[in-house]
Amino acid sequence: VEFLYCDLASMKSIRQFVQQFRAKNCPLHVLVNNAGVMLVPERKTEDGFEEHFGLNYLGHFLLTNLLLDTLKQSGTHSHNARIITVSSATHYVGKLHLDDLQSRCSYSPHGAYAQSKLALVLFTYRLQHLLTANGSHVTANVVDPGVVNTELYKHVFWVVKVVKWMTAWLFFK
C-alpha cells in the first residue's frame, strides 16, 4: 500500500496527484470518489469555489476526467474498470442553479450541499451514458451509503449533534 496525497478542494493538488499516479504507470481498476463536506459555513476553496461545490463536485469531476484514460486502458471486456461516486439521497431536494453554482446570491449550507450532490448524480449518469456509447470497458455508478456515523456531521446544529450522539450506535452505519 502506498499513500499519495490529494486535496480535492485544490485543483493544483488534484493535478499533482494525477501526475504522480501516472508516473507510476499502474493500472487503475477502481476509482472511488468519496471525499466530501456537509453543511459547512459559507467559505471558498483555494481556487475560489464555494466549498461544497468545489470539493464535493468539481474536485471529483476533475479527478475522474484526468484519470479516465487510465481507467479506460485498465478495463477489459471481461473486467470493466469502475468509477464509484458516493452521493446522498439529499440530491432529491437539490436544485442545480446554473446561474449561481457558487451560491453567491443566497447561501444556504443545506442548499449548497444538496446542489453539489445533485451535480454528482447528473455527472455520473452522463458519464455512464458516454462510456456506454463509446463501448468503453468502464462503468460509472453513483451510490447513497445511507446514514453513516462519520465526522461529516460536525457542522450540524448542536441539537442534532446531541441526538446523533445518543442514537448513532442504533441507527447509523
Side-chain angles (χ1 to χ4, degrees), residues 96-168:
L96 204 56
H97 300 283
L98 295 176
D99 56 338
D100 189 24
L101 292 173
Q102 301 302 314
S103 302
R104 289 186 178 118
C105 291
S106 64
Y107 183 78
S108 156
H110 292 82
Y113 177 71
Q115 176 177 252
S116 72
K117 293 303 180 174
L118 176 59
L120 278 175
V121 170
L122 295 174
F123 164 62
T124 305
Y125 285 0
R126 180 64 180 162
L127 179 59
Q128 179 56 43
H129 173 78
L130 294 171
L131 291 168
T132 300
N134 292 326
S136 176
H137 296 297
V138 179
T139 59
N141 295 282
V142 62
V143 299
D144 171 15
V147 183
V148 182
N149 192 10
T150 68
E151 286 298 309
L152 198 59
Y153 299 91
K154 69 182 173 183
H155 295 288
V156 298
F157 188 60
W158 71 269
V159 173
V160 176
K161 285 183 184 178
V162 170
V163 171
K164 177 187 174 275
W165 178 77
M166 292 175 13
T167 63

Side-chain angles (χ1 to χ4, degrees), residues 18-127:
V18 170
Q19 189 175 39
Q20 290 173 339
F21 180 81
R22 283 189 178 156
K24 296 185 173 305
N25 203 27
C26 295
L28 179 59
H29 298 286
V30 179
L31 172 63
V32 179
N33 291 319
N34 188 36
V37 292
M38 181 174 80
L39 307 180
V40 296
E42 186 173 9
R43 58 187 184 209
K44 301 200 178 316
T45 65
E46 72 178 45
D47 299 295
F49 299 113
E50 184 278 320
E51 191 169 14
H52 289 100
F53 199 74
L55 194 155
N56 292 356
Y57 173 66
L58 293 175
H60 291 110
F61 178 88
L62 180 61
L63 180 66
T64 301
N65 279 286
L66 292 177
L67 290 173
L68 199 52
D69 286 342
T70 305
L71 284 156
K72 287 177 180 177
Q73 293 167 3
S74 302
T76 65
H77 180 68
S78 59
H79 290 86
N80 282 350
R82 290 176 169 72
I83 302 165
I84 302 163
T85 299
V86 178
S87 186
S88 165
T90 305
H91 84 275
Y92 285 114
V93 297
K95 290 183 173 36
L96 204 56
H97 300 283
L98 295 176
D99 56 338
D100 189 24
L101 292 173
Q102 301 302 314
S103 302
R104 289 186 178 118
C105 291
S106 64
Y107 183 78
S108 156
H110 292 82
Y113 177 71
Q115 176 177 252
S116 72
K117 293 303 180 174
L118 176 59
L120 278 175
V121 170
L122 295 174
F123 164 62
T124 305
Y125 285 0
R126 180 64 180 162
L127 179 59

